[in-house]
Amino acid sequence: MNYKIKSRIWIETDDNVFLGEGRVRLLKAIDTKGSLSKAAKSIGMSYKKAWTLLDAVNKSAKKPVVITSVGGKNGGGATLTPYGKSLISAFETINKGCWTYLDKQLDQINNI
Amino acid sequence: MNYKIKSRIWIETDDNVFLGEGRVRLLKAIDTKGSLSKAAKSIGMSYKKAWTLLDAVNKSAKKPVVITSVGGKNGGGATLTPYGKSLISAFETINKGCWTYLDKQLDQINNI
DNA sequence: AAGCGTTATATTTGTATGGAAACAACGCCA
DNA sequence: TGGCGTTGTTTCCATACAAATATAACGCTT
C-alpha cells in the first residue's frame, strides 16, 4: 500500500480562523437552501454549531459574507453576499491547486 | 488587517494517519536526544502521547522509522533510522513548497 | 391577534481527548 | 545481585468539546 498526502487549508485574521473547508461547505449550503437551519440540516450539522461557525465568519470578515434576517415573510433567512460567493470560489480554486501540487510530490515519499 | 492562508499536510496509509507536523517534530527530537522520554520532554509533550504517536508511526510505516530498545547500557533508547531521516527531509521540503505556493495565491483572497 | 418558521441564545448532558501517576519488564553495570 | 534509566502499559481524573434540549425574539401572514 502506498502513502497518500492529504492537506487542509484555511484563512486566518489575527489568529482567528476565518474560513476553512467546513465553513465553506456550510456557506455553500446556505446559498442553496436560503436558511441557516436548513443548510445545517442538509450537511448533518447541528444548528448551534452552524450558528457558531457563521458568527465567527461574520465577525472576522472584512466585508459581510452572509446576511441574516429574523422574522418576516418565511420566518427569516440567510443569504450569501456576492463577496461571500467570490470567497468560496477563490478558496476552492486555491485548494484544488494545493492538491495537485501535493500529488506531484507523492513520488518523493513513495520512492524513498 | 489582511488575511493569511495557513495549511497542514500529513501522510496517510489506508485511512491511518502516518506522518504529520507533530510527529515530525517528535521524530526530530528523538534524533537529537536519543530517547523517547527525553524527546517528549524537550518538546513539551507527555510521554504517553509521544509513545502513542510513535507506536502509530511504526505500525503504519512501510519500513522501520524508529528503533527502540528496552534495558541495557543507558536503560534503553530510541534511534531514528536512515529511512526515518529521509522521510523527515522529504516531508519538510514538500511542506515548504506548499507554503510558498499558498503565499503566491494570497492576492486572490485579499483583492476581492 | 394568533400562528408560523426563522434567527439567536442559554442550559444541561454526554463524550472524547489528554495528562498524571503508578508500575511492570528489561538488560547493562558496579 | 541489586540499582538504574529506559520502554511499555494500565488506571484514573479533569477538562474541553460536541450534542441535545429549551426558549426568547422577531416580523410577515392570515
Side-chain angles (χ1 to χ4, degrees):
Chain A
M1 185 56 191
N2 277 341
Y3 297 132
K4 293 168 289 185
I5 307 181
K6 303 229 169 177
S7 69
R8 266 299 168 71
I9 71 169
W10 66 95
I11 301 174
E12 286 189 4
T13 68
D14 305 297
D15 294 335
N16 293 319
V17 174
F18 165 53
L19 206 63
E21 291 187 15
R23 298 176 191 209
V24 164
R25 223 176 334 133
L26 176 63
L27 293 182
K28 290 176 78 171
I30 287 173
D31 194 32
T32 56
K33 298 294 179 182
S35 99
L36 180 56
S37 61
K38 285 177 186 166
K41 189 173 298 183
S42 76
I43 60 176
M45 181 181 290
S46 73
Y47 176 82
K48 184 195 171 185
K49 179 166 186 178
W51 185 87
T52 305
L53 286 181
L54 181 56
D55 190 52
V57 168
N58 278 328
K59 274 180 179 162
S60 53
K62 293 201 287 187
K63 305 180 199 174
V65 172
V66 169
I67 306 291
T68 60
S69 65
V70 180
K73 177 140 186 183
N74 295 105
T79 62
L80 195 62
T81 65
Y83 177 64
K85 291 184 185 181
S86 298
L87 274 177
I88 290 176
S89 168
F91 183 92
E92 294 192 325
T93 300
I94 295 172
N95 205 13
K96 282 178 189 168
C98 189
W99 293 342
T100 62
Y101 163 76
L102 291 176
D103 281 346
K104 277 186 267 179
Q105 313 304 315
L106 195 48
D107 289 345
Q108 287 188 43
I109 298 288
N110 280 316
N111 290 341
I112 296 177
Chain B
M1 184 58 192
N2 277 342
Y3 297 133
K4 294 169 288 185
I5 306 181
K6 303 230 171 176
S7 69
R8 269 283 163 88
I9 71 168
W10 67 95
I11 300 174
E12 286 189 4
T13 68
D14 304 298
D15 293 336
N16 292 320
V17 173
F18 165 54
L19 206 63
E21 292 187 15
R23 298 176 191 209
V24 165
R25 226 178 330 136
L26 176 63
L27 294 181
K28 291 176 78 173
I30 288 173
D31 194 32
T32 57
K33 298 294 178 182
S35 100
L36 180 55
S37 61
K38 285 177 187 167
K41 190 173 295 181
S42 75
I43 61 175
M45 181 181 288
S46 72
Y47 176 82
K48 183 193 171 185
K49 179 166 186 177
W51 185 87
T52 305
L53 286 181
L54 181 56
D55 189 53
V57 168
N58 278 327
K59 275 180 179 160
S60 54
K62 293 200 287 187
K63 306 179 197 174
V65 173
V66 169
I67 306 292
T68 59
S69 65
V70 178
K73 177 142 185 181
N74 295 108
T79 60
L80 196 61
T81 65
Y83 178 62
K85 291 183 185 182
S86 299
L87 274 177
I88 290 175
S89 169
F91 183 93
E92 294 192 325
T93 300
I94 295 172
N95 204 12
K96 282 177 189 168
C98 191
W99 293 342
T100 61
Y101 163 76
L102 290 176
D103 281 346
K104 279 188 266 180
Q105 313 303 314
L106 195 49
D107 288 346
Q108 286 187 44
I109 298 288
N110 280 316
N111 291 339
I112 296 177

